């Protein structure tokens, strides 16, 4: 997961391969609550691990359910007839799928509970649900603004007598989650008589209600659906664990990859994108996104648990669509509209206004930044794509703490202008798809502009490794510590009993080419053994300097180094990154510091490891190493002609990092528009 302030996605050209999608958030949180209310233990397979499901799991644990995670399966032992914790304060984050159903369930369990969330949760209406529960006789108070969280369920003395002899009326035209919440909670009250729920107004998002009904049936509750207007929960209802249940992958998450298949040219040798975990027979309403994508030109095929999507009609066809049946996935259509042959209109999407953010306003604003013309109404959005490739703009997309905004705008990186797209706060995808960007990057290829590389070269102990690692971390880029490749080669040569010299150049080059070198979470593994410390000694540094002077060795490790250049970008540190390995890199920095300063840094580094060395010896060693690195015949250490010089003798690490990042920002097309 990317936890950086922003993620720059370079211009993309094609896609191909297969993706496995995470479990559906809507199904996951429904299953968790139903398992918690049931008798017995439910083994939940493929549960989504995300911010919103963690919120639900934390609440269930606090209420007294047993939750155990082993080998990818979550086991929930439900409350059954046991009473939950009597008084609790629960934090729901921004998880509507936890806030609404838990409010209803807790109101029918009895107890004294407060429920609150993040600032946006306090703006998301819950009044219609509370009204329905109050009609029944439940005691619920608002602790802030009327109609919005936080709220208190004040039933410490137990559930009051409930008015069940008349239908419970709930509005269906603001959020279908209110009805879902009642459907999942009211079986608790349907002991000696049927309970009827009556929908007031047009019921929106019926497919989500269909998911609720299907899952209730799996947990032993057979609700009668009377034309989506009345729902009857039979007397004697009792939640019963199905024992084990699989969570389908998220059909809304599939929409990004369906759109990807429709937008991107197929990568060489590939036929579009294959999506696993959800298929044509999905119980989720958002699967009907496929029809919308087909209407725009996507070619989609599939089976029960998979889909294949290929680009067909190009440009895509503009559509005018009532999106009430696919409220979440329809946001993806708004970005597909950027690639259409005319104006697309998405209608009946008023519910977007009360989601994680006001999604109509958010989408309109961000699409405009890219060069589109948009018009928003109370319940519609009209999108006209940029008229020409030149009319596209490189935009920094604000994501409003809304996972879907972040995910769907990543697809703007296929713009014909070859511009990168900046996604602000990429971590917000953690709500439903924590590894979204990693999954995307595994199946897309960059445009001709390539994967960006920042090279940081310089002499030993100048701080290259430290600065490179921090720059990479700030940008979410990969890191190539090329010195460690030569260090590992030197170690491998020693282990093989080879003296490091020209007479063994071929043998050492063979070792370098074939050694099983792996970089894993900051550690360096050689043939499965962690050699991170062994390659950091002064001797290993000298050996590395010697092997790196052998031309055969340098040639042998070129491919390995080039392989690090993967999406979304790379920071490479070494001696010849900018001059030889990545000569076209858009930013090259030659990082240096005075010899005295570098010797002192090395002394401090060794002291931290308990090694006391003389500063004069260290300085002599590093000057000897510099001399060899600078004077060898191939790829000597020198500043690339187009490198920027950074002498950090008088700088802190943070200042050096800030300077490199500032130079990088100056090279980004959206830096100016973001600031301005
Ligand atoms: N600007 C700085 N001010 C103070 N100390 C620094 C600065 N930059 C780096 N250092 C420290 O200097 C030491 C050497 O830095 P680092 O290992 O990053 O250098 P390097 O150039 O990668 O060295 P080598 O090429 O030998 O691997 C580290 O302990 C680091 O914390
Ligand atoms: N791109 C590179 C990186 C490193 N080397 C050689 C020269 C260095 O003395 C040695 C160890 O590098 P360090 O880990 O100290 O950065 O490896 C090189 O020739 N080219």
């Amino acid at each position: 997961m990317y936890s950086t302030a922003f993620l720059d996605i370079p211009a993309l050209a094609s896609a191909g391969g297969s993706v496995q999608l995470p479990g559906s958030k809507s199904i996951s949180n429904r299953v968790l609550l139903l398992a918690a209310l049931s008798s017995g233990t439910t083994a939940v397979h493929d549960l989504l691990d995300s911010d919103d499901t963690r919120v639900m799991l934390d609440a269930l644990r606090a209420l007294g359910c047993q939750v155990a995670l082993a080998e990818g399966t979550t086991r929930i032992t439900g409350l059954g007839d046991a009473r939950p914790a009597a008084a609790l304060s629960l934090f729901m984050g921004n998880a509507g799928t936890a806030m609404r159903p838990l409010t209803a369930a807790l109101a029918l369990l009895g107890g004294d509970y407060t429920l609150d969330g993040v600032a946006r949760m306090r703006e998301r209406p819950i009044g219609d649900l509370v009204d329905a529960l109050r009609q029944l006789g439940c005691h619920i108070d608002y602790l802030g603004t009327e109609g919005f969280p936080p709220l208190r369920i004040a039933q410490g003395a137990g559930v009051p007598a409930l008015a069940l002899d008349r239908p419970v009326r709930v509005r269906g035209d603001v959020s279908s989650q209110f009805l879902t919440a009642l459907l999942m909670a009211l079986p608790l009250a349907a002991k000696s008589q049927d309970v009827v729920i009556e929908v007031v107004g047009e019921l929106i998002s019926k497919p989500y209600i269909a998911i609720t009904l299907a899952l209730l049936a799996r947990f032993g509750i057979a609700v009668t659906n009377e034309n989506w207007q009345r729902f009857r929960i039979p007397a004697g209802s009792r939640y019963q664990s199905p024992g084990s249940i699989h969570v389908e992958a998220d059909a809304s998450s599939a929409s990004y990859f369906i759109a990807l298949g429709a937008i991107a040219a197929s990568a060489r040798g590939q036929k579009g994108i294959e999506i696993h975990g959800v298929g044509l027979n999905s119980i989720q309403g958002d699967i009907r996104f496929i029809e919308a994508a087909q209407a725009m030109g996507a070619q989609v095929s599939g089976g029960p648990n998979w889909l294949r999507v290929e680009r067909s009609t190009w440009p895509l066809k503009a559509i005018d669509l009532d999106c009430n049946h696919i409220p979440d996935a329809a946001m993806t259509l708004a970005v597909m509209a950027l690639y259409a042959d005319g104006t697309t209109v998405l209608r009946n999407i008023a519910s977007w206004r009360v989601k994680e953010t006001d999604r109509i306003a958010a989408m309109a604003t961000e699409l405009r930044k890219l060069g589109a013309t948009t018009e928003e109404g109370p319940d519609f959005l009209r999108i006209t794509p940029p008229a020409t490739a030149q009319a596209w703009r490189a935009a920094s997309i604000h994501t409003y703490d809304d996972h879907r905004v972040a995910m769907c705008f990543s697809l703007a990186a296929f713009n014909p202008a070859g511009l990168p797209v900046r996604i602000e706060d990429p971590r917000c995808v953690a709500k439903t798809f924590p590894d979204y960007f990693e999954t995307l990057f595994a199946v897309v290829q960059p445009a001709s502009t390539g994967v960006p590389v920042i090279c940081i070269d310089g002499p030993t102990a100048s701080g290259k490794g430290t600065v490179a690692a921090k720059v990479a971390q700030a940008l979410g880029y990969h890191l190539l510590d090329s010195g460690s490749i030569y260090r590992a080669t030197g170690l491998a040569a020693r282990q093989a009993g080879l003296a490091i010299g020209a007479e063994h150049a071929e043998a050492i080059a063979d070792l370098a080419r074939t050694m099983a070198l792996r970089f894993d979470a900051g550690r360096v593994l050689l043939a499965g053994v962690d050699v991170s410390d062994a390659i950091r000694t002064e001797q290993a540094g000298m050996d590395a300097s010697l092997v790196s002077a052998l031309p055969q060795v340098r040639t042998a490790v070129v491919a390995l180094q080039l392989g690090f250049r993967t999406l979304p970008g790379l920071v490479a540190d070494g001696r010849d990154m900018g001059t030889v390995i990545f000569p076209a890199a858009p930013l090259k920095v030659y990082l240096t510091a005075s010899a005295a300063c570098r010797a002192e840094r090395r002394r401090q580094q060794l002291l931290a490891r308990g090694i006391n060395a003389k500063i004069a010896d260290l300085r002599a060693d590093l000057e000897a190493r510099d001399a060899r690195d600078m004077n060898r015949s191939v790829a000597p250490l020198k500043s690339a002609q187009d490198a920027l010089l950074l002498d950090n003798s008088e700088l802190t690490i943070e200042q050096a990092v800030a300077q490199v990042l500032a130079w990088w920002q100056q090279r980004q097309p959206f830096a100016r528009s973001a600031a301005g």
Side-chain angles (χ1 to χ4, degrees):
M1 184 168 64
Y2 289 88
S3 299
T4 46
F6 56 82
L7 176 63
D8 290 345
I9 305 179
L12 300 175
S14 58
S18 85
V19 293
Q20 174 70 48
L21 298 179
S24 150
K25 175 188 66 164
S26 305
I27 296 178
S28 293
N29 269 356
R30 282 171 174 79
V31 164
L32 288 178
L33 182 58
L34 292 172
L37 296 174
S38 294
S39 303
T41 298
T42 308
V44 187
H45 304 281
D46 303 325
L47 183 76
L48 172 65
D49 177 14
S50 76
D51 288 351
D52 283 15
T53 53
R54 271 191 290 276
V55 159
M56 180 64 103
L57 280 167
D58 288 348
L60 299 183
R61 274 194 205 94
L63 285 164
C65 295
Q66 274 181 36
V67 178
L69 177 65
E71 290 162 16
T73 298
T74 307
R75 287 192 161 70
I76 315 283
T77 303
L79 291 168
D81 293 326
R83 285 188 60 78
L88 282 176
S89 189
L90 296 169
F91 179 74
M92 302 281 97
N94 195 9
T97 54
M99 181 78 190
R100 278 78 179 255
L102 270 171
T103 296
L106 294 177
L108 295 174
L109 281 169
D112 198 331
Y113 306 107
T114 59
L115 291 97
D116 199 358
V118 299
R120 175 62 185 166
M121 181 59 96
R122 293 180 171 199
E123 297 169 357
R124 299 178 69 180
I126 195 163
D128 294 322
L129 176 62
V130 171
D131 287 350
L133 293 166
R134 282 177 171 170
Q135 268 175 61
L136 273 166
C138 297
H139 298 154
I140 305 178
D141 303 319
Y142 295 110
L143 300 178
T145 311
E146 280 289 295
F148 298 86
L151 46 82
R152 176 175 173 211
I153 300 167
Q155 300 181 155
V159 184
L162 298 175
L164 297 169
D165 44 352
R166 57 176 189 268
V168 184
R169 289 164 61 80
V170 65
R171 273 182 69 178
D173 54 353
V174 175
S175 166
S176 64
Q177 282 182 9
F178 302 147
L179 176 56
T180 278
L182 292 173
L183 284 167
M184 291 207 293
L186 280 168
L188 288 168
K191 294 200 170 80
S192 53
Q193 65 184 110
D194 288 4
V195 177
V196 176
I197 306 171
E198 202 167 85
V199 178
V200 181
E202 161 93 24
L203 178 60
I204 59 168
S205 310
K206 293 189 184 78
Y208 283 111
I209 300 302
I211 294 176
T212 306
L213 298 178
L215 292 174
L216 277 164
R218 291 293 310 277
F219 282 84
I221 311 289
V223 179
T224 310
N225 173 358
E226 297 170 8
N227 203 24
W228 304 103
Q229 282 304 303
R230 286 162 67 95
F231 296 87
R232 181 176 298 274
I233 303 167
S237 285
R238 196 178 155 75
Y239 305 97
Q240 187 58 49
S241 166
S244 130
I245 189 163
H246 281 264
V247 175
E248 227 181 60
D250 193 328
S252 318
S253 298
S255 74
Y256 313 113
F257 292 95
I258 295 169
L260 174 65
I263 292 168
S266 280
R268 195 177 311 167
Q270 307 265 12
K271 276 174 77 72
I273 290 288
E274 205 168 283
I275 300 163
H276 292 271
V278 66
L280 296 173
N281 65 352
S282 168
I283 62 165
Q284 299 167 72
D286 270 351
I287 200 66
R288 290 189 59 201
F289 175 84
I290 290 173
E291 294 161 21
Q294 283 170 324
M296 293 189 85
Q299 191 180 317
V300 186
S301 54
N305 204 31
W306 63 276
L307 300 166
R308 174 181 289 285
V309 189
E310 282 176 73
R311 181 159 115 172
S312 175
T313 308
W314 192 256
L316 297 177
K317 282 184 280 193
I319 53 170
D320 187 327
L321 189 72
D322 182 328
C323 299
N324 187 258
H325 59 300
I326 48 169
D328 285 349
M331 292 168 74
T332 313
L333 295 174
V335 176
M336 287 176 78
L338 290 168
Y339 302 98
D341 58 2
T343 299
T344 287
V345 191
L346 307 177
R347 299 184 192 277
N348 206 356
I349 52 171
S351 66
W352 284 20
R353 296 228 182 251
V354 292
K355 295 283 182 152
E356 280 78 345
T357 185
D358 177 342
R359 285 177 166 170
I360 296 184
M363 294 302 288
T365 304
E366 303 308 312
L367 288 164
R368 271 198 299 275
K369 284 188 191 167
L370 288 162
T373 307
T374 62
E375 185 196 339
E376 61 172 284
D379 66 346
F380 72 87
L381 179 60
R382 196 186 305 274
I383 306 131
T384 307
T388 59
Q390 296 69 35
W392 280 79
R393 299 279 166 263
S396 181
I397 302 295
H398 187 66
T399 49
Y400 308 85
D401 199 17
D402 187 335
H403 52 141
R404 300 207 183 282
V405 174
M407 291 190 276
C408 65
F409 273 98
S410 64
L411 299 171
F414 286 92
N415 65 81
L419 296 167
V421 177
R422 172 166 292 179
I423 304 293
E424 296 172 14
D425 184 25
R427 195 202 169 280
C428 66
V429 302
K431 190 171 171 67
T432 49
F433 200 159
D435 291 334
Y436 171 73
F437 293 107
E438 290 85 344
T439 308
L440 177 72
F441 293 150
V443 291
V444 295
Q445 292 76 40
S448 55
T449 39
V451 174
V453 184
I454 300 174
C455 296
I456 305 182
D457 287 306
T460 188
S462 58
K464 304 177 303 296
T466 307
V467 172
K470 287 182 181 291
V471 169
Q473 194 181 30
L475 298 172
Y477 283 7
H478 301 281
L479 178 67
L480 166 57
D481 166 11
S482 60
S484 65
I485 297 175
Y486 294 104
R487 286 173 182 264
T489 305
L491 184 65
R494 291 246 172 233
Q495 287 173 345
L498 293 170
I500 301 173
E503 68 281 17
H504 293 128
E506 292 295 349
I508 298 173
D510 273 349
L511 270 180
R513 204 176 292 109
T514 55
M515 66 184 171
L517 187 62
R518 222 158 41 82
F519 298 86
D520 189 3
R523 309 301 293 175
V524 182
L525 305 174
L526 182 59
V529 178
D530 188 341
V531 295
S532 316
D533 296 331
I535 62 166
R536 285 285 142 212
T537 64
E538 289 304 282
Q539 180 61 52
M542 279 298 182
D543 285 352
S545 179
L546 287 168
V547 294
S548 69
L550 303 171
Q552 296 91 327
V553 172
R554 299 204 77 84
T555 306
V557 296
V558 168
L560 174 61
Q561 294 173 86
L562 294 178
F564 277 77
R565 189 179 180 185
T566 54
L567 288 165
L570 175 67
V571 182
D573 102 71
R575 304 292 187 288
D576 62 343
M577 297 295 96
T579 50
V580 176
I581 304 296
F582 303 110
L587 175 62
K588 299 173 187 172
V589 176
Y590 191 79
L591 189 68
T592 190
S594 68
C597 178
R598 291 188 286 127
E600 177 54 22
R601 288 177 187 172
R602 185 64 88 221
R603 196 176 74 85
Q604 293 297 336
Q605 231 176 355
L606 290 171
L607 267 180
R609 282 196 255 144
I611 303 165
N612 207 341
K614 283 203 192 116
I615 190 102
D617 294 347
L618 289 173
R619 180 165 174 168
D621 281 356
L622 68 82
E623 284 178 334
R625 180 129 76 101
D626 288 352
R628 186 171 29 246
D629 293 346
M630 288 170 168
N631 294 309
R632 65 187 174 216
S633 59
V634 278
L637 165 64
K638 63 177 179 186
S639 174
Q641 269 187 346
D642 50 350
L644 298 174
L645 177 69
L646 180 58
D647 184 328
N648 68 0
S649 307
E650 303 296 325
L651 299 181
T652 63
I653 293 171
E654 287 66 34
Q655 287 170 325
V657 170
Q659 178 60 75
V660 176
L661 287 172
W663 281 332
W664 185 240
Q665 292 313 324
Q666 284 165 14
R667 283 162 165 67
Q668 303 313 310
F670 30 70
R672 286 173 296 280
S673 60

